[in-house]
Amino acid sequence: MYLGKQDLKIFSSAVATPVQKQSQLQESQILVVVHLLEGTSYLTDIVWWAGTIAMAVGQIGNFLAYTAVPTVLVTPLGALGVPFGSILASYLLKEKLNILGKLGCLLSCAGSVVLIIHSPKSESVTTQAELEEKLTNPVFVGYLCIVLLMLLLLIFWIAPAHGPTNIMVYISICSLLGSFTVPSTKGIGLAAQDILHNNPSSQRALCLCLVLLAVLGCSIIVQFRYINKALECFDSSVFGAIYYVVFTTLVLLASAILFREWSNVGLVDFLGMACGFTTVSVGIVLIQVFKEFNFNLGEMNKSNMKTD
């Protein structure tokens, strides 16, 4: 059978088209695989694994601290991760730490020392039975009802309309959820002690522990969601500084109502803790908000010499 040039072109294009499509499909699949491999390349990085393990150990230590130390001390001292992280980043990652950042690190450490000196010296809730009594306290139940109403108002009405433009909306949601996160963490630790020691009330302690775990899990999931939303819309440094202050304040309020850890604190210790917390908060703001400012003492001295 004789085939003309036009027929040969049609035949060759008909054969070549599927082949080209198949090769393009294979190339796209290869590119996807390479992209996925590049996206997970950090899994082979020793530094990434070291950081992840260090964070896990830190969270375990944080959890254990809530079971042994008053909440009014543990929560504010959590801010020490910011100055130490900034100092390590300046040496390991070669990030710049200006004079305000260094002053913020100093203030954070000084405020933490003041907090430790004036913190409550004894625990107000040490057993699971005492915890159950505190959880059913009408004052705390009323406080939780107010928090839930505020959360529903913020999540379903205010956040959709004003969340992307007002940083305090997302911060308020995450901070109010801290009223559930930290007391739940402390309660889980107390209930776990009775479960591990096989006390007669271990069955009730197990039920309480499961309820608190469910509350803790839900609050953490919602917090992560709105923290990610906030970081998409606002600067992470400003968000981190404001979030620390508001979150810590509301957690201390919830812990004071639930555990009444302030009942044994005198006026001098109360003022000392207030000053310590304010000092730590100012230090965090200096580290986070002003870290992009590029100036140092040398430049300030040069500018003063020029003016003279």
Side-chain angles (χ1 to χ4, degrees):
M1 182 178 180
Y2 175 74
L3 293 176
K5 292 183 178 180
Q6 188 65 25
D7 296 329
L8 287 174
K9 288 181 180 179
I10 295 173
F11 177 76
S12 60
S13 62
V15 174
T17 300
V19 174
Q20 290 175 354
K21 288 184 178 180
Q22 182 67 23
S23 62
Q24 290 174 0
L25 180 61
Q26 291 177 349
E27 289 178 1
S28 63
Q29 291 175 345
I30 292 172
L31 290 174
V32 170
V33 172
V34 171
H35 180 71
L36 290 175
L37 290 176
E38 290 177 353
T40 58
S41 60
Y42 61 87
L43 294 175
T44 59
D45 190 352
I46 298 177
V47 177
W48 182 86
W49 279 108
T52 303
I53 294 172
M55 288 178 63
V57 172
Q59 291 302 319
I60 293 172
N62 194 39
F63 174 80
L64 295 176
Y66 278 115
T67 64
V69 183
T71 309
V72 296
L73 179 61
V74 177
T75 306
L77 288 183
L80 284 177
V82 176
F84 284 116
S86 300
I87 294 172
L88 289 174
S90 65
Y91 286 102
L92 298 178
L93 304 178
K94 307 302 179 183
E95 293 184 0
K96 290 184 179 180
L97 186 64
N98 58 31
I99 185 63
L100 290 179
K102 295 176 182 177
L103 178 62
C105 293
L106 180 62
L107 288 175
S108 298
C109 295
S112 299
V113 172
V114 175
L115 282 171
I116 294 172
I117 293 173
H118 295 282
S119 64
K121 304 301 185 292
S122 61
E123 278 286 337
S124 58
V125 179
T126 55
T127 63
Q128 177 249 334
E130 293 178 355
L131 177 62
E132 290 181 358
E133 181 182 353
K134 298 291 185 182
L135 289 174
T136 56
N137 190 326
V139 177
F140 182 70
V141 173
Y143 170 76
L144 285 185
C145 292
I146 295 173
V147 171
L148 285 173
L149 287 174
M150 293 178 66
L151 283 172
L152 292 174
L153 181 65
L154 286 168
I155 292 174
F156 293 105
W157 280 279
I158 298 178
H162 304 285
T165 57
N166 191 333
I167 192 173
M168 290 306 300
V169 175
Y170 292 144
I171 287 178
S172 299
I173 293 173
C174 298
S175 300
L176 286 171
L177 285 167
S179 300
F180 300 96
T181 304
V182 174
S184 296
T185 303
K186 190 176 182 70
I188 290 170
L190 292 174
Q193 294 178 6
D194 288 345
I195 296 173
L196 295 176
H197 289 90
N198 291 324
N199 291 336
S201 60
S202 59
Q203 190 65 31
R204 294 184 61 185
L206 178 60
C207 296
L208 178 62
C209 185
L210 292 176
V211 171
L212 292 177
L213 276 174
V215 173
L216 179 63
C218 293
S219 61
I220 289 176
I221 291 172
V222 178
Q223 283 185 69
F224 278 161
R225 180 186 177 188
Y226 284 97
I227 286 174
N228 290 329
K229 283 188 174 183
L231 294 178
E232 291 175 359
C233 303
F234 306 102
D235 183 76
S236 60
S237 301
V238 178
F239 173 80
I242 301 175
Y243 176 56
Y244 166 76
V245 176
V246 179
F247 178 85
T248 304
T249 302
L250 291 178
V251 166
L252 293 180
L253 176 61
S255 300
I257 295 174
L258 175 61
F259 300 113
R260 298 184 181 180
E261 294 171 335
W262 295 89
S263 58
N264 297 324
V265 177
L267 179 61
V268 175
D269 288 333
F270 174 79
L271 292 176
M273 291 199 68
C275 293
F277 174 59
T278 303
T279 304
V280 173
S281 300
V282 172
I284 297 301
V285 170
L286 289 176
I287 296 172
Q288 294 284 77
V289 177
F290 298 99
K291 68 179 181 180
E292 300 296 335
F293 282 63
N294 189 17
F295 66 94
N296 52 43
L297 287 177
E299 294 178 354
M300 294 175 64
N301 292 331
K302 289 181 181 179
S303 60
N304 290 332
M305 293 176 62
K306 289 180 180 180
T307 53
D308 294 339

